[in-house]
């Protein structure tokens, strides 16, 4: 989630709006086109009115053969005058259509009128209401899988201006257990998605795989064992066994998973040993033997969340780069609340699937 579409959308909307405004105030090319279109339409409508009147007038003289274009020597004066008015109106309509055809609008100005209202609506929706995101990694497995497309509520944690992310309306705050999108504190250009487990002032502890919030163990139920692929290099995966637990945090009930300390496979056991010997204390610098190794196993730690900040963790606890390593999420970095999975697409040339559609627990 390392690309912010608003970096393109905001400048494009502003540029097209400026061009639109410049034409409205100064160039007036589009206004001239609109005037000429109106004149051509009115000329055509006037012809229709005169033609109907002329046909009605002809019916008043059934004994005469009255032409639409040629004057008859015996026809009444009012017929001749009506035909002349009709002829003049047709000539005026031809001139109006010629003026319309000759009118030119610069392509960029035409684009501005076509695109900026659409871009403005898209920008408003994406910035202040809902924005789609794509899940690029496995850190939130099994709640969110790689390839999931999700919808994020942008006003859940306050209405913010695009790009600068400055809050202009305070409309809510994160709750424990929310799945939140936020700007990565280490590199705010990148968006991260994790679960908020600690609110400002909370004391968070992790003991033997159990999460404690303010001294209270969060309810959990151990579930099934699964095989979990772990990438150890650009071309090699090692399969390890993991336990899936059903966990309650706040009002949210979800599944988290942990890599088992005991592994049957020799390579997997060696990998787990390396992982288990590394520090899991919050904010300690990591000494990774490979950039692809998981971050930690279930070692014990505790931390208190400062005011105005949040503690976030991935549901895939042993393969998540989260607050345990780079610190807290400042309130100003919040983007929105992940609400719904609306599509899933496997990497590569695969057809999108809608089987995973549903609310995010």
């Amino acid at each position: 989630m390392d690309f912010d579409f608003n970096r393109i959308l905001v400048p494009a909307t502003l540029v097209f709006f400026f061009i639109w405004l410049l034409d409205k105030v100064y160039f007036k090319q589009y206004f001239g086109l609109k005037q000429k279109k109106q004149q051509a339409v009115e000329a055509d409508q006037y012809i229709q009115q005169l033609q109907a009147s002329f046909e009605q007038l002809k019916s008043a003289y059934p004994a005469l053969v009255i032409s639409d274009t040629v004057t008859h020597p015996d026809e009444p004066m009012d017929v001749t005058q009506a035909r002349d008015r009709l002829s003049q109106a047709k000539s005026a309509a031809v001139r109006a259509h010629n003026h319309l055809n000759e009118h030119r609008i610069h392509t960029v100005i035409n684009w501005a009128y076509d695109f900026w209202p659409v871009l403005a609506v898209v920008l408003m929706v994406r910035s202040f209401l809902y924005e789609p995101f794509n899940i690029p990694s496995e850190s939130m497995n099994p709640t969110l899988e790689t390839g999931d497309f999700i919808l994020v509520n942008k006003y859940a944690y306050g209405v913010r201006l695009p790009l600068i992310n400055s809050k202009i309306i305070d409309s809510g705050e994160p709750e424990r257990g929310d799945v939140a999108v936020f700007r990565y504190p280490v590199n705010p250009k990148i968006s991260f998605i994790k679960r908020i487990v600690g609110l400002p002032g909370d004391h968070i502890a992790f003991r033997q795989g159990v999460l404690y919030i303010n001294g209270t163990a969060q309810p959990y139920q151990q579930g099934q064992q699964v095989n979990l692929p772990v990438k150890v290099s650009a071309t090699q995966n090692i399969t390890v066994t993991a336990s899936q637990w059903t966990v309650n945090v706040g009002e949210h009930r979800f599944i988290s998973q942990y890599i088992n300390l005991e592994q049957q496979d020799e390579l997997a056991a060696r990998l787990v040993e390396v992982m288990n010997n590394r520090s899991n204390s919050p904010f300690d610098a990591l000494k990774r033997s490979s950039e692809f190794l998981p971050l930690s196993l279930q070692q014990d730690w505790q931390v208190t969340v400062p005011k105005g900040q949040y503690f976030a963790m991935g549901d895939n606890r042993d393969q998540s780069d989260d607050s345990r390593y780079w610190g807290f999420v400042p309130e100003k970095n919040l983007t929105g609340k992940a609400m719904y999975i609306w599509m899933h697409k496997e990497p590569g040339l695969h057809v999108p699937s809608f089987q995973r559609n549903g609310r995010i627990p």
Side-chain angles (χ1 to χ4, degrees):
M1 302 170 69
D2 58 353
F3 177 72
D4 185 358
F5 185 64
N6 280 346
R7 296 176 195 170
I8 295 177
L9 186 58
V10 172
T13 304
L14 292 176
V15 168
F16 280 128
F17 173 74
F18 177 74
I19 294 172
W20 173 87
L21 187 62
L22 200 60
D23 183 69
K24 281 283 188 182
V25 175
Y26 182 70
F27 295 117
K28 299 186 178 180
Q29 291 185 11
Y30 202 84
F31 178 73
L33 177 65
K34 189 176 180 180
Q35 276 189 321
K36 289 179 172 61
K37 283 183 178 179
Q38 183 63 29
Q39 291 169 358
V41 170
E42 291 176 353
D44 290 339
Q45 292 174 345
Y46 187 50
I47 289 175
Q48 293 175 2
Q49 295 174 3
L50 292 180
Q51 187 70 52
S53 299
F54 187 64
E55 295 299 326
Q56 188 176 18
L57 188 59
K58 288 192 323 183
S59 66
Y61 302 95
L64 296 176
V65 178
I66 300 174
S67 171
D68 288 354
T69 58
V70 180
T71 302
H72 192 277
D74 295 331
E75 69 183 17
M77 182 60 68
D78 55 348
V79 174
T80 302
Q81 291 175 345
R83 183 190 294 108
D84 291 343
R85 286 195 297 271
L86 180 59
S87 178
Q88 291 171 3
K90 289 181 178 179
S91 297
V94 170
R95 290 193 297 270
H97 280 279
N98 287 339
H99 291 158
L100 176 61
N101 294 333
E102 293 169 357
H103 189 84
R104 294 290 179 267
I105 296 182
H106 195 283
T107 303
V108 175
I109 292 178
N110 205 33
W111 287 349
Y113 277 87
D114 288 342
F115 294 142
W116 97 258
V118 177
L119 292 176
V121 170
V122 173
L123 179 61
M124 291 289 290
V125 172
R126 288 177 58 94
S127 299
F128 306 123
L129 298 177
Y130 298 96
E131 183 174 1
F133 284 89
N134 172 240
I135 304 301
S137 69
E138 66 279 354
S139 70
M140 284 296 293
N141 280 0
T143 304
L144 298 174
E145 296 181 0
T146 303
D148 281 345
F149 287 77
I150 64 171
L151 200 62
V152 174
N153 183 331
K154 296 296 290 288
Y155 58 85
Y157 304 145
V159 177
R160 301 171 187 270
L161 293 175
L163 296 186
I164 62 175
N165 215 48
S166 177
K167 184 188 290 188
I168 55 175
I169 299 177
D170 190 359
S171 57
E173 297 177 349
E175 298 179 355
R176 291 188 190 91
D178 283 359
V179 177
V181 174
F182 52 88
R183 293 182 298 154
Y184 182 32
V186 178
N187 182 3
K189 293 181 180 180
I190 301 175
S191 292
F192 265 32
I193 182 167
K194 306 292 178 186
R195 192 176 296 274
I196 302 295
V197 298
L199 304 181
D202 281 350
H203 180 266
I204 309 298
F206 200 73
R207 304 189 188 103
Q208 298 181 346
V210 179
L211 179 67
Y212 290 78
I213 300 178
N214 297 324
T216 302
Q218 302 307 290
Y220 70 93
Q221 181 179 357
Q222 245 178 311
Q224 63 180 346
Q225 303 292 308
V226 296
N227 292 324
L228 195 65
V230 176
K231 183 177 289 188
V232 294
S233 71
T235 58
Q236 183 185 10
N237 285 353
I238 292 179
T239 299
V240 299
T241 59
S243 299
Q244 291 188 339
W245 295 12
T246 301
V247 183
N248 289 65
V249 175
E251 299 297 322
H252 298 266
R253 183 177 177 85
F254 56 95
I255 296 176
S256 63
Q257 60 188 23
Y258 305 82
I259 294 176
N260 296 335
L261 297 179
E262 296 183 1
Q263 299 287 327
Q264 299 298 321
D265 182 80
E266 183 179 349
L267 287 178
R270 193 181 309 163
L271 174 65
V272 167
E273 182 180 0
V274 172
M275 294 160 57
N276 200 35
N277 287 333
R278 291 156 57 201
S279 171
N280 191 32
S281 299
F283 320 143
D284 279 0
L286 295 178
K287 298 179 180 178
R288 307 185 189 182
S289 58
S290 167
E291 61 175 320
F292 298 101
L293 286 181
L295 292 173
S296 67
L297 288 179
Q298 302 93 275
Q299 298 166 337
D300 296 347
W301 51 264
Q302 60 181 343
V303 71
T304 299
V305 185
K307 180 179 179 181
Q309 305 201 50
Y310 298 87
F311 194 87
M313 292 174 62
D315 291 352
N316 192 5
R317 293 286 165 79
D318 296 326
Q319 289 183 283
S320 174
D321 185 6
D322 51 42
S323 287
R324 292 171 292 178
Y325 305 101
W326 39 255
F328 303 106
V329 180
E331 189 275 338
K332 65 180 181 180
N333 284 44
L334 294 174
T335 298
K337 180 179 179 180
M339 301 290 293
Y340 194 83
I341 301 172
W342 60 274
M343 187 178 75
H344 178 84
K345 183 184 179 303
E346 293 293 331
L349 299 176
H350 291 87
V351 178
S353 166
F354 301 94
Q355 296 180 351
R356 284 184 47 77
N357 288 21
R359 293 191 64 84
I360 297 173

